[in-house]
Amino acid sequence: MLSQLQDMDLQLLRIFVIIVDSGGFSAAQGKLGIAQSTISTQMAKLEIRLGFRLCERGKGGFRLTAKGERVYQSARKLLDAVGSFTRETQAVSDTLIGELKIGLSELLAPDVLELIGQTVGKYRQRAHDVTLEIVTATPDELETKLLNHKINLAIGYFSKSQAALNYEPLFKERQSLYCGQSHQLFRKSTITIEDVNQAEKVSHVYRIKSLGSRFVSDRQNAISEQVEADLIFILSGAHISFLPEHIAKPWVESGKLRELMSEHLSYDVDFQLATARRQDDSDALKLFKEYLTEAFHN
């Protein structure tokens, strides 16, 4: 008597259903791809497992017993359920679910935002059920959020000093030095490095070491944590500072800012894609990273 269903029993039941659907052993040979003697052996095994006869076969033809009819109906339901389960689990396997939290540096360039937007659009075609969250913060804050697992990935200009984080190059951002229209250098025809060194600079809490970081005032009476603060200090006419060129551009075009010694002092900032080393990368995260990398490197 069959007390516990095993894999072998499922295979025997499949053969049994095909035999019944085909109308007998001979007709089932082509569908099963095995000899009639093998079919008979398999059926005998099933009947032994069940403890009763399923069908009559011989000169009188193929005919189900009453118990065989009941088993056939139950087997059809079981195999249909197995098929349904298989289809559903395959669908789940192909479905991306969960949450993806993305951190961005503030005030990214329009072309960068467009590429990130295109990445999100492409991702959405594949990952309908993933909940996306986008936050903006300073580089230090983004690294802290990654370390505390508050976000899954971040795009920003990082010092790459956190051993617990992975950094992958993504794109570059051009930075230049600027003064405001009321600053004494704004209308000076020729500007030298001495002029720049003597001017009041802005000290940056957030900025990584770079060419721009060598200009540090003895008097640190202007401190910035964000690009907007840099811009305000420059517009005041009392200080000079570096800005991303895409931020400064409209102010330069309107005559409110002047770029200083760009051929000598402008520099590129490397933006990276950062993730936590000990984070278990989900399929949702892996796919977004793949699409993002493709967008910026193609």
Side-chain angles (χ1 to χ4, degrees), residues 39-199:
I39 295 175
S40 298
T41 300
Q42 298 294 78
M43 282 300 300
K45 288 181 181 179
L46 180 59
E47 288 176 333
I48 291 172
R49 287 283 292 161
L50 293 170
F52 52 81
R53 196 166 181 78
L54 292 171
C55 58
E56 303 293 343
R57 56 264 196 191
K59 294 182 180 180
F62 176 82
R63 181 177 63 81
L64 287 176
T65 64
K67 290 183 178 180
E69 181 64 37
R70 291 283 299 274
V71 172
Y72 170 72
Q73 297 298 332
S74 296
R76 287 301 305 247
K77 292 178 183 178
L78 173 62
L79 295 176
D80 286 345
V82 170
S84 177
F85 174 79
T86 301
R87 290 189 296 273
E88 289 177 7
T89 53
Q90 286 176 341
V92 170
S93 176
D94 293 336
T95 300
L96 296 174
I97 57 177
E99 293 182 330
L100 187 61
K101 297 181 179 180
I102 303 164
L104 302 179
S105 286
E106 299 167 303
L107 299 176
L108 294 173
D111 59 329
V112 171
L113 293 175
E114 184 176 5
L115 285 174
I116 297 174
Q118 290 172 0
T119 299
V120 171
K122 182 178 180 181
Y123 185 76
R124 268 292 178 237
Q125 295 176 14
R126 174 70 177 80
H128 303 284
D129 299 322
V130 175
T131 300
L132 289 177
E133 180 180 349
I134 298 176
V135 299
T136 59
T138 64
D140 287 345
E141 290 171 341
L142 291 176
E143 287 185 315
T144 299
K145 288 179 182 293
L146 283 171
L147 294 170
N148 294 332
H149 303 290
K150 299 295 184 182
I151 57 177
N152 302 110
L153 66 127
I155 300 171
Y157 50 103
F158 304 111
S159 63
K160 296 190 286 186
S161 61
Q162 293 289 350
L165 300 181
N166 286 317
Y167 301 93
E168 302 174 34
L170 209 56
F171 62 93
K172 295 180 182 293
E173 180 181 87
R174 192 72 170 168
Q175 297 258 342
S176 293
L177 187 65
Y178 297 91
C179 70
Q181 63 179 346
S182 59
H183 194 276
Q184 60 184 359
L185 296 180
F186 190 84
R187 291 176 177 80
K188 196 173 188 297
S189 58
T190 302
I191 298 175
T192 65
I193 195 68
E194 288 74 18
D195 293 327
V196 170
N197 282 331
Q198 291 172 9

Side-chain angles (χ1 to χ4, degrees), residues 260-271:
L260 304 175
M261 301 185 68
S262 61
E263 66 277 12
H264 299 293
L265 301 180
S266 296
Y267 64 99
D268 289 327
V269 172
D270 292 317
F271 275 67

